[in-house]
Amino acid sequence: MKVLVTGAKGFAGKNLCARLKNIRDGKCRIYPGLEIEEVMEFDVDTPKELLREYCSRADFVFNLAGVNRPKDPKEFMEGNFGFASELLDTLKECGNTCPVMISSSTQAALDNPYGESKRAGEHLLRNYSRETGAKVLIYRFPNLFGKWCRPNYNSAVATFCNNIANGFPITVNNEATELNLVYIDDMVEEMVQALMGKEHKMTGPEGVNPEEEFCAVPVVHNATLGEIVRLLHLFSVQPETLMLPSIPDGSFAKKLYSTYLSYLPEDKVKFPLKMNVDARGSFTELLKTADCGQFSVNVSLPGITKGEHWHDSKWEFFIVVSGKGLIQMRCEADPQGEIREYHVSGEKIEAVHMLPGYTHNIINLSETEPMVTLMWANENFDSNRPDTYFDPVKR
């Protein structure tokens, strides 16, 4: 299949083309049976003569080209309606009736220059379909957000992400303002589904002829400006607090965090961690979570024993990733009881439970090499309630 993408250098176009090229090159194998031979990219700086060539060869057209921030309102109609007209005329001249997708906007239902230009493009496409019999897909997108979106242009999310990531001020006129948002990867996924003939359809919004069919991205998030800014500030202080906010799978918070990170400047990509160093080695907290405990890394110098303590309710995983050692534990309720022993090594990575009510230690058996242990605890450390009591495993 040969795919033409207009507006290929725009926010949506870049992301869609990246996915299509990964499918073309065999790097993305999540769509069995979908084969893409060529991705033809067209934008404002592409030689005009290539449009006809691309239209003659395309098996599917994604028209993502458009104007949304012109100097003169007249450019809305020229950029949104005018180019769509040129594209469809070229397809007709080439006798190509392949499916055509057009990116419209929810503002097409509004009476403003931008909405009028988008609505005109929709009518143009429907007339084209009636005339040629070609399949057409009209998507009225709400606000799109995600990586590679241009800040300080037409996306509040992109502007907030960029400014907070870079330490620039932001302005929120009304925190209660609610946005309908579609994540760019959800939009791209829907475009691939459309390419395979599995688009999601819906009837037109209020005020539009119900017989006119629209397509839509099935996943839409609703968030206020205040909620967006609050989340972004939580993300921005994570290097200091180590606290990762709750980001459930598929949630707006998870998608917003990925978006925020894409705007980090070079000097904020790396950040220091506090190493607690003594004669035995070091201990460093890595990451804390809202409801799933914390991660740390422990370095034990040759021959060193660490631990020799127990917990009432806290429990941990010890995972040795480098070196070799011995973990010992004993039930605290039986001072003379059995001592369990577990040999661990970075050559065979295994996880060992540190059981509640069992005093435990970890011994570096090497005389020359440090031992590195990744540790997870089921709760974040609270110095006021540490739930940690010293008692040697061997008495």
Side-chain angles (χ1 to χ4, degrees):
M1 180 178 288
K2 299 180 179 68
V3 182
L4 168 59
V5 180
T6 69
K9 293 184 179 180
F11 168 44
K14 286 180 182 178
N15 280 274
L16 177 58
C17 286
R19 178 73 61 87
L20 296 176
K21 290 176 183 177
N22 280 335
I23 298 171
R24 178 197 64 189
D25 299 340
K27 298 176 182 178
C28 179
R29 300 185 178 90
I30 61 177
Y31 308 104
L34 176 59
E35 295 184 1
I36 295 178
E37 177 185 348
E38 184 178 4
V39 180
M40 298 173 285
E41 302 175 63
F42 190 89
D43 213 289
V44 291
D45 58 353
T46 307
K48 277 288 186 179
E49 57 269 20
L50 286 179
L51 182 60
R52 182 177 181 82
E53 177 187 338
Y54 292 164
C55 284
S56 67
R57 295 195 283 123
D59 297 308
F60 197 106
V61 176
F62 290 103
N63 182 30
L64 304 179
V67 174
N68 47 37
R69 276 290 182 96
K71 296 179 180 179
D72 187 332
K74 294 180 181 178
E75 295 177 35
F76 279 127
M77 194 62 72
E78 295 172 3
N80 295 326
F81 175 82
F83 178 76
S85 180
E86 180 181 1
L87 172 66
L88 298 179
D89 285 344
T90 305
L91 286 168
K92 283 192 288 187
E93 291 171 6
C94 295
N96 189 345
T97 57
C98 71
V100 180
M101 169 271 171
I102 187 172
S103 62
S104 187
S105 167
T106 52
Q107 290 197 44
L110 303 179
D111 290 326
N112 58 44
Y114 178 67
E116 290 172 1
S117 68
K118 286 295 187 181
R119 194 160 59 248
E122 294 176 358
H123 294 322
L124 182 71
L125 195 64
R126 293 195 192 282
N127 290 333
Y128 170 79
S129 179
R130 296 186 189 102
E131 179 183 346
T132 65
K135 179 180 179 179
V136 297
L137 305 173
I138 299 174
Y139 281 85
R140 283 190 169 181
F141 293 129
N143 298 283
L144 295 175
F145 75 102
K147 66 183 184 300
W148 306 339
C149 187
R150 178 178 170 185
N152 303 306
Y153 186 57
N154 67 335
S155 168
V157 174
T159 300
F160 290 164
C161 285
N162 177 75
N163 288 16
I164 291 175
N166 287 275
F168 303 149
I170 62 170
T171 300
V172 181
N173 294 323
N174 184 354
E175 291 190 353
T177 299
E178 187 171 272
L179 301 180
N180 296 321
L181 297 156
V182 166
Y183 184 50
I184 191 62
D185 285 357
D186 292 330
M187 175 265 183
V188 168
E189 174 64 25
E190 173 63 18
M191 294 300 95
V192 178
Q193 293 300 318
L195 188 62
M196 297 188 295
K198 300 177 182 179
E199 64 275 3
H200 290 83
K201 297 179 180 179
M202 60 176 287
T203 56
E206 185 177 353
V208 175
N209 186 340
E211 295 181 358
E212 293 188 339
E213 192 173 65
F214 291 88
C215 299
V217 179
V219 182
V220 180
H221 300 279
N222 300 309
T224 65
L225 293 179
E227 291 169 341
I228 294 169
V229 171
R230 178 183 61 81
L231 282 170
L232 291 175
H233 281 306
L234 282 177
F235 303 155
S236 71
V237 298
Q238 192 276 332
E240 289 78 43
T241 65
L242 300 184
M243 180 63 69
L244 190 67
S246 178
I247 48 173
D249 190 38
S251 67
F252 172 69
K254 182 178 181 180
K255 297 168 184 178
L256 183 64
Y257 208 159
S258 294
T259 302
Y260 165 78
L261 291 176
S262 72
Y263 290 89
L264 280 182
E266 181 180 358
D267 62 347
K268 288 188 177 180
V269 172
K270 182 176 74 171
F271 59 92
L273 297 170
K274 181 184 177 183
M275 295 180 64
N276 300 288
V277 182
D278 59 24
R280 302 172 300 161
S282 66
F283 177 81
T284 306
E285 293 181 328
L286 302 178
L287 179 69
K288 299 179 180 180
T289 68
D291 51 13
C292 292
Q294 72 174 58
F295 295 85
S296 308
V297 63
N298 180 76
V299 178
S300 298
L301 295 179
I304 291 296
T305 298
K306 287 190 175 185
E308 305 287 31
H309 59 235
W310 62 283
H311 315 289
D312 276 323
S313 297
K314 182 188 298 184
W315 63 277
E316 303 158 297
F317 280 128
F318 283 9
I319 305 169
V320 170
V321 296
S322 179
K324 60 180 180 179
L326 176 67
I327 293 174
Q328 299 176 317
M329 63 179 71
R330 170 183 55 80
C331 181
E332 186 62 22
D334 188 359
Q336 304 303 321
E338 173 193 6
I339 294 177
R340 302 181 183 183
E341 294 190 338
Y342 303 90
H343 285 269
V344 289
S345 169
E347 296 180 356
K348 183 182 179 182
I349 297 178
E350 301 172 297
V352 183
H353 288 93
M354 299 298 109
L355 307 175
Y358 277 70
T359 185
H360 52 270
N361 63 29
I362 182 166
I363 306 166
N364 184 353
L365 297 179
S366 174
E367 297 180 357
T368 59
E369 300 295 328
M371 178 177 64
V372 181
T373 306
L374 179 65
M375 297 179 172
W376 173 84
N378 71 320
E379 61 185 37
N380 295 321
F381 180 73
D382 182 353
S383 59
N384 295 317
R385 297 180 64 88
D387 188 13
T388 302
Y389 310 98
F390 175 78
D391 193 20
V393 175
K394 292 185 178 180
R395 287 193 173 186

